[in-house]
Amino acid sequence: MTNSPPNRANSDTAAIKPIIQIRNVTKRFGQLAAVDDVSLDIMPGEFFVLLGPSGCGKTTLLRMIAGFELPTEGQILIDGQDMTGVPPNQRPVNMVFQSYAVFPHMNVRDNVAYGLKIARTPKKDIRDRVNEALALVKLDGLGDRMPDQLSGGQRQRVALARSLVMRPKVLLLDEPLSALDAKLRAAMQFELADLQEKVGITFVTVTHDQDEALSMASRIAVVNKGLIAQMATPSDLYEYPANRFVADFVGSVNLFEGRLIVDEPERAVVECPALGRVYINHGVTGPHEGTVHVALRPEKISLYRQGEAPPAPDAPVGHNLADGVIKGMSYLGDITVFQILMPSGQVMRVSRPNLSRFDQEDFTWEDRVSMRWHSSSPVVLLA
Amino acid sequence: MMRRLRPAIAPLDYTRRWSMRLWVGLVMFFLYAPLVALMVFSFNDSRRNIVWRGFTTKYYDKVMHNDMLMEALGNSLTIAFFTTIISLVLGGLAAVMLWRFRFPWKAAVEGAMALPIVVPEICFGVAMLIFFAQIGWPTDMPWPFSLGAITIAHVTFCFPFVAMVVRSRLASFNREEEEAAKDLGASEWQAFRDVLLPHMKPGLIAGALLAFTMSLDDFVITFFTSGPNTITFPVKVYSMVRFSVTPEVNAASTLLIVLTVIMTSVALYFQNRMVQSGKGPA
Amino acid sequence: MTGAGGQSWRTQKRVFATIATGPILWLLLFFIIPLAVLWAYSFGRNVGLTEIEISGTFANYAKAIEPLYLQIFGKSIAVAGLTTFICLIVGFPVALAITFATPKWKPWLLLGIMLPFWTNLLIRTYALMAVLRTEGYANQSLGWLWQLSSNARVVLGLQPLDAFEPLHLLYNNFAVVLGLVYVHLPFMVLPLYAALDRLDRSLIEASLDLGAGHFRTLLTIVAPLAAPGIISGVVITFVPALGAYLTPDLLGGTDSQMIANVIERQFKRANDWPFGSALSFMLMYATFIMIAWQAQRERKLMRTGIGPDVGARA
């Protein structure tokens, strides 16, 4: 890996046993491998997110943990126990389904009590635990409603309470927020993270929405074509993507192909035909003179009128600097995104916060501009 | 790593459980064994019809030379043909009427249209018997007009089915297509002919085959409306069956089964096309 | 279905008239009027051999509720009910299997259920007769098995069994119920399948996930949610079974006549048309009660949220 930061989630868990161990799991549907020899460990108390585009195999992985799909090869261990041959109704995990799967013929209370009744919990305990769970998801007082009298968000809370009341070792959530509207989704992201902290249960969530993953997760596994592309904390994932797929999938990025011409412990230089020389303030241990890619996030680029860019304090002259013409502007309220056409013909995306009400008037179409970035900003991608 | 033995059946793979397969297998056996036996033994060279004595087609020969039976088959096919044509027109019109218009007493008309589907056959049969007796329907008309009474009865219980099938097809019609046609200058009739009718076509074909098969199959209602000169195939087979179980009946039945299978296959083919075009009835 | 019913007929009176006249007239002339005549006859009495007078008498209905006929009615209901129950028990696993079959198998299984449904009723009944009669395939196979086990006993040094007595499988109530099940099984399987297929699978998974076993899930989740399909399957099976004529006629004995056979006798042999008409209307009322019951149950289920569209949300 190029820029490997300390793995925070795992740093202090050497003594703790993982709650879920996935060992060389492969799932084939006919010839197609939906999950291809995946191994990963999930630690107790984590908010683990499987992030990937649709059809990448993340849901299949989740359903194999729940027991609804069986691995073609490999093993899944939950709390140290091999789950091979253990049916879903005997696994110490519970799932919140994408459609919520709230039983439409039972009221909220009966939905939440369903699992406890099957476990033959004493009546009094059932009542107490159901009330507790409903309070936890802020549904107190709605126990007698039927599901069709609830909003989408409330139905999801029922599904959450119904699973949490079982006190599972792991709660699995399949695209938990995809059916909610944007405002509610943002609110639920915080609430889910909050809830997870409160109950201390390990959450494993599947999503295709990077914002959702970044805001909720303690650790994220980016899944692509049945393989894990990268596993890291949200900030590491964003700041130190391991490959082009992750860089491109998580957040927005400008990618340039180039040749690695200097690679020393304290500095590296990549010569990009479309961008000029990019100076990086640390080594990348890549192939000498080999082809690499440079990733630059739009928000890490500063914009100046042409020729007015101050000299870089941390890079040699002529490095980390590019000129261009503004060809497109999208005013998004909090930021403005510029499309800047460079002499090489490639377009650079630059985003700029609208710090004052008049910032948007600084630059306009067809303005000639210079772009500059800090030598810690570019990420060199070897894959 | 050691390959582990695992039950290869996921929780919802009900169909892969051997108990389920056995059950489905037994049910299929129950449904098909008598029919297969009937067809196989129509080629059996023995009147006793129970022990295999060698292959023969002589009973088919006998069936072919049984004038009464052949006449009955001719009657059945004629009735089915006219029933199909009339049911198609009436059913198609009824479907368009119910699909397109709001009108007073619509719920009553809809209900009445569904009645022939639910009224017990025996009741409708005797009602037709009384009705034709009451109005003094002439029984001595020349062929094929002598089949009129049976055809009328058949159309009455067939066309509501056609209407049902066509209407479920119409439900998927995008009315803007018709509006677009009119917007481009088509008259009412032209819009119907060029846009609506092509959309209805798979439904009409499925409905036609349904009507044809139902008419060909009907025994009870025909039993009450047929006279001595207007015997249909099922009525004739019925009188043979009452008499005894013979290889001729097997052969005649096999012919009808084969005919039905062909009709059904064609009907299903069109229904599939309807579904595959993404808008078929659920 | 199309929304609240399209455009008003007033906007295009001539088009409406062209379209509506044919079907409505036909229905009126050849369905409503014959039924009305039948209804009128049920209040009539025989005067002379062919003459019938519509006198408004209730005598035919009074006769219809005499113990003899009431008993036949009761028996018809019992036979139809038993048939429906057996069809439900036999058909439910089949519908379940079709629902969860692989896409490759599903159309074939459906075809397998539908093909007999399209085959002539008379022929299917006849095929069953050939199986059940004294010299039929069933007795033949049983006799063969009997002989086999008898031989086995001889080999083991035991007494051989007595000669095989063919079972009387035909011309009794057993044959009638078997025949009705044989004929009506597809009527049950298809609506059950339609209901199960609409069911959101994650509801079943959720139940399993919460610890329920398969049987428990079936009883607490699948059956209540498939209720509309079960009810319509029950009605669709029960109604024609109740009015069945051919099956009891061909497979039944003298004591297994059902209501339709009695009706037929009034018209073909006994020549008591008014009484036959009254019986016909009794049968029709029974049918309508069943259908009304279904409609009412369905409305009720709709209200509790288990409409036919359960789980249709993606």
Side-chain angles (χ1 to χ4, degrees), chain B residues 35-61:
Chain B
L35 291 174
V36 171
L38 180 150
M39 296 207 274
V40 168
F41 278 90
S42 70
F43 296 103
N44 186 18
D45 193 4
S46 156
R47 277 216 76 81
R48 278 189 63 237
N49 202 1
I50 187 72
V51 184
W52 185 256
R53 294 245 186 272
F55 182 86
T56 178
T57 53
K58 71 177 175 199
Y59 295 108
Y60 285 88
D61 245 30

Side-chain angles (χ1 to χ4, degrees), chain C residues 1-2 8 13 22 24 29-30 60 77-78 84 97 99 122 127 175 179 181 188 210 226 244 281-282 284 290 300:
Chain C
M1 281 305 119
T2 351
S8 169
K13 280 186 186 167
I24 289 182
L29 215 56
F30 299 120
N60 298 309
I77 290 172
T84 308
T99 308
L122 178 63
V181 169
M188 182 63 91
L210 292 166
F281 262 88
M282 300 273 287
M284 260 197 276
M290 277 306 286
K300 208 166 167 188

Side-chain angles (χ1 to χ4, degrees), chain B residues 147-201:
Chain B
L147 303 174
I150 301 176
T151 309
I152 286 173
H154 282 198
V155 169
T156 307
F157 75 79
C158 284
F159 93 85
F161 281 94
V162 177
M164 204 167 64
V165 173
V166 174
R167 196 176 166 187
S168 72
R169 172 71 188 168
L170 277 173
S172 67
F173 181 72
N174 176 3
R175 266 180 212 218
E176 287 179 0
E177 284 178 33
E178 198 182 355
E179 286 166 1
K182 284 186 192 162
D183 182 62
L184 295 168
S187 69
E188 193 68 44
W189 162 248
Q190 284 167 324
F192 172 77
R193 185 196 58 197
D194 298 337
V195 180
L196 194 59
L197 202 58
H199 182 85
M200 288 164 68
K201 203 167 123 196

Side-chain angles (χ1 to χ4, degrees), chain A residues 177-188:
Chain A
L177 305 176
S178 64
L180 303 178
D181 62 65
K183 261 239 159 74
L184 198 53
R185 189 154 53 207
M188 265 322 264

Side-chain angles (χ1 to χ4, degrees), chain B residues 11 14-15 23 30-32 41 50 93 99-102 104 134 156 188 217 219 223 234 238 246 250 260 268, chain C residues 2 5-7 9 12 19 26 41 90 97 100-101 111-112 115-116 118 122 126 135 137 182 214 246 249 268:
Chain B
Y14 289 115
T15 321
W23 191 269
F30 171 61
L31 286 178
Y32 283 94
F41 278 90
I50 187 72
L93 287 175
W99 166 75
R100 179 152 175 187
F101 288 105
R102 262 181 299 122
Q134 189 71 27
T156 307
E188 193 68 44
D217 275 1
F219 166 73
F223 188 50
Y238 173 77
T246 64
N250 281 20
T260 313
L268 286 177
Chain C
T2 351
Q7 67 195 98
W9 70 288
Q12 284 177 304
I19 291 173
W26 187 285
Y41 265 53
V90 172
F100 289 98
L111 184 70
L115 210 52
W118 288 70
L122 178 63
Y126 167 70
E135 292 190 329
Y137 308 118
Y182 182 65
H214 285 278
L246 206 55
D249 183 59
K268 289 251 161 163

Side-chain angles (χ1 to χ4, degrees), chain C residues 10-220:
Chain C
R10 263 178 252 271
T11 54
Q12 284 177 304
K13 280 186 186 167
R14 197 176 301 163
V15 177
F16 178 74
T18 318
I19 291 173
T21 310
I24 289 182
L25 214 59
W26 187 285
L27 200 66
L28 196 68
L29 215 56
F30 299 120
F31 187 72
I32 305 295
I33 290 179
L35 283 187
V37 172
L38 184 71
W39 189 71
Y41 265 53
S42 72
F43 298 101
R45 65 192 179 94
N46 282 314
V47 285
L49 255 178
T50 53
E51 201 114 348
I52 288 156
E53 180 199 29
I54 313 291
S55 58
T57 173
F58 281 91
N60 298 309
Y61 288 97
K63 189 176 172 192
I65 56 171
E66 275 172 20
L68 173 66
Y69 296 105
L70 218 50
Q71 194 200 332
I72 290 179
F73 246 110
K75 185 169 184 175
S76 302
I77 290 172
V79 166
L82 183 61
T83 301
T84 308
F85 179 73
I86 296 174
C87 283
L88 183 61
I89 299 297
V90 172
F92 198 90
V94 177
L96 203 64
I98 299 176
T99 308
F100 289 98
T102 57
K104 203 176 92 187
W105 271 93
K106 204 177 208 171
W108 292 108
L109 286 171
L110 271 177
L111 184 70
I113 293 294
M114 272 164 75
L115 210 52
F117 183 73
W118 288 70
T119 311
N120 195 315
L121 178 71
L122 178 63
I123 290 174
R124 280 194 290 160
T125 311
Y126 167 70
L128 212 55
M129 283 172 79
V131 172
L132 294 178
R133 70 206 168 98
T134 317
E135 292 190 329
Y137 308 118
N139 269 319
Q140 202 79 14
S141 312
L142 283 174
W144 182 72
L145 283 175
W146 185 272
Q147 191 59 44
L148 214 65
S149 52
S150 177
N151 291 348
R153 283 173 71 102
V154 172
V155 170
L156 292 170
L158 296 167
Q159 279 286 315
L161 294 167
D162 297 333
F164 177 69
E165 249 340 284
L167 299 173
H168 292 287
L169 298 171
L170 201 54
Y171 307 128
N172 54 30
N173 292 326
F174 162 80
V176 173
V177 172
L178 188 78
L180 288 174
V181 169
Y182 182 65
V183 166
H184 292 111
L185 195 57
F187 287 82
M188 182 63 91
V189 173
L190 294 176
L192 281 182
Y193 160 72
L196 290 175
D197 201 47
R198 264 200 305 256
L199 200 76
D200 182 356
R201 280 171 200 213
S202 59
L203 291 170
I204 300 174
E205 290 180 340
S207 173
L208 294 175
D209 188 63
L210 292 166
H214 285 278
F215 192 66
R216 178 113 189 208
T217 302
L218 204 67
L219 286 186
T220 58

Side-chain angles (χ1 to χ4, degrees), chain A residues 10-51:
Chain A
N10 278 341
S11 57
D12 57 346
T13 54
I16 305 174
K17 279 183 59 177
I19 188 87
I20 291 179
Q21 290 164 275
I22 293 173
R23 292 188 183 160
N24 304 92
V25 164
T26 298
K27 174 70 183 178
R28 279 192 207 92
F29 293 110
Q31 287 296 307
L32 190 89
V35 173
D36 196 355
D37 197 21
V38 164
S39 295
L40 65 89
D41 287 354
I42 298 171
M43 294 296 156
E46 273 198 280
F47 196 129
F48 194 90
V49 172
L50 292 161
L51 172 67

